[in-house]
Amino acid sequence: MSGFERPRSSAPQPPSESVAVVIVTFNRADLLSGMLDGLAAQTHRPDAVFVIDNASADHTRRVLEGRDDLPLRVTHTEENLGGAGGFHLGMTQAHDAGFDRIWLMDDDVVPAEDCLAVLMAHPNPCLMAVREDIEGNLVEKSALHFDLRNPLHLRPKTASIDSAYASRAELPAELPIENVAFEGFMVHRRVIDEVGFPDPTYFIFYDDVDFAVRARRAGFTILALRDAVLVRQLDFNQQHALDTWKGFYMFRNLFAVHFRYGENALVRLKPYLIVLAVVLLSPVRGGRGEASNVIRAIRSARQMRRPPGAGTTHR
């Protein structure tokens, strides 16, 4: 899937561990089918594939019922839990089933055939596959630096992999990162035992950032692996939706991260400055929808100041 040639490794392999894949899907049956094809082709077979179908209304159920080439464990929810709720549920199921590693996947990526094998060969407990688009361009958005200390940084992500490197060939074999996407992220169960599960109250956006912050603050290093290739089937376009229902969650959850993890009072006050700026600029920029979203978001985020409790009792 990628034109990048990866050297064969002769490094000693770690002891065999079990791995479960967790997929969250909603009304994207055709993309899901392609993603499952990619999983079925893996050189390292997953021990289980937990699929959380977020109350899809399309032909997702038929796609899943038609698969006999993967060890699927499917949950059809009665309502849409959002990505955050879906990953919380799926990770809980995989953890409770006793799997050593859990690989979190969205329905719009296709892994290269050796992607899981590359991840499983690395002993680090927090790993991120590196995404490219269907043309082979590097599109990995994971942050090299996620700044919750400097209040002058409007966006805490001050550098991402794809902003710092022009291509996969320029990447080192492994690269420390400070946030992740639940789209190719692999976590060991001992991390979950230490920091808890993803917070379902985020619904969508920033649940993965929140989990990464907790993991790093607990002392875990997160590494992106150059040779673990994921091909993203869709473009990133969420930045153009700040006046929609998605915009509410983008604002609210960004504010919640600042309230929870801001390293000083000025950073924790930054959401209020963002609200003021958005409202003042709304006549010439985002309009009434964006202004309404940011006001509702700050009110809701104030109720999310406390992070979820650590340990497996957090459900």
Side-chain angles (χ1 to χ4, degrees):
M1 294 181 183
S2 170
F4 177 70
E5 293 294 331
R6 298 185 292 279
R8 294 183 180 274
S9 173
S10 59
Q13 300 300 303
S16 177
E17 294 180 312
S18 60
V19 57
V21 181
V22 171
I23 305 165
V24 178
T25 188
F26 175 66
N27 280 345
R28 297 202 292 198
D30 294 332
L31 287 171
L32 174 65
S33 181
M35 190 269 152
L36 294 174
D37 288 342
L39 275 186
Q42 291 298 293
T43 58
H44 184 117
R45 297 276 296 178
D47 297 292
V49 178
F50 291 83
V51 181
I52 307 300
D53 170 23
N54 260 335
S56 295
D58 63 358
H59 54 289
T60 292
R61 189 181 292 263
R62 293 199 305 275
V63 166
L64 292 169
E65 290 173 348
R67 306 292 305 211
D68 60 4
D69 54 351
L70 287 165
L72 296 182
R73 306 188 187 186
V74 179
T75 299
H76 300 285
T77 64
E78 294 184 359
E79 60 181 341
N80 184 1
L81 305 177
F87 282 118
H88 174 92
L89 176 59
M91 187 185 287
T92 300
Q93 292 176 348
H95 183 275
D96 287 353
F99 292 99
D100 297 309
R101 297 198 192 198
I102 302 171
W103 193 22
L104 305 179
M105 299 288 279
D106 210 343
D107 53 17
D108 64 352
V109 289
V110 178
E113 291 182 358
D114 63 347
C115 187
L116 184 53
V118 170
L119 293 168
M120 291 298 293
H122 200 290
N124 197 64
C126 294
L127 298 169
M128 184 69 202
V130 175
R131 293 169 289 177
E132 60 186 43
D133 64 20
I134 57 177
E135 296 179 348
N137 300 308
L138 188 66
V139 293
E140 183 49 60
K141 306 295 183 184
S142 295
L144 298 176
H145 186 49
F146 196 80
D147 190 348
L148 291 169
R149 178 175 298 176
N150 186 346
L152 299 180
H153 285 148
L154 182 62
R155 294 187 178 95
K157 184 194 293 188
T158 59
S160 63
I161 290 178
D162 65 350
S163 72
Y165 297 91
S167 68
R168 188 180 299 272
E170 295 183 9
L171 291 173
E174 56 186 54
L175 187 64
I177 55 176
E178 295 192 354
N179 77 359
V180 302
F182 283 168
E183 189 175 83
F185 177 59
M186 176 178 283
V187 61
H188 197 281
R189 64 180 297 107
R190 68 176 181 270
V191 180
I192 302 167
D193 292 339
E194 181 73 19
V195 308
F197 293 94
D199 183 354
T201 62
Y202 278 97
F203 191 71
I204 56 170
F205 307 130
Y206 287 96
D207 51 319
D208 38 20
V209 172
D210 184 285
F211 188 89
V213 172
R214 284 188 275 144
R216 287 194 298 106
R217 292 192 174 187
F220 295 101
T221 298
I222 307 172
L223 297 176
L225 300 188
R226 175 195 63 201
D227 298 343
V229 178
L230 276 181
V231 181
R232 202 170 199 275
Q233 305 300 298
L234 300 176
D235 293 331
F236 290 96
N237 58 7
Q238 63 193 36
Q239 295 304 319
H240 305 291
L242 294 178
D243 60 343
T244 70
W245 67 270
K246 289 185 177 180
F248 165 76
Y249 288 105
M250 291 180 204
F251 281 128
R252 187 198 68 166
N253 296 348
L254 174 65
F255 297 162
V257 168
H258 280 78
F259 287 153
R260 288 179 174 185
Y261 307 114
E263 296 182 22
N264 55 64
L266 290 177
V267 171
R268 293 190 293 274
L269 285 171
K270 187 168 66 171
Y272 295 101
L273 297 179
I274 294 174
V275 171
L276 179 62
V278 170
V279 171
L280 290 177
L281 291 173
S282 63
V284 295
R285 212 198 82 137
R288 294 177 61 183
E290 188 172 324
S292 174
N293 274 342
V294 80
I295 292 170
R296 291 190 301 118
I298 194 73
R299 292 171 177 167
S300 181
R302 288 172 56 88
Q303 310 303 314
M304 297 174 64
R305 290 177 181 271
R306 296 187 62 181
T312 58
T313 56
H314 174 64
R315 299 299 171 91

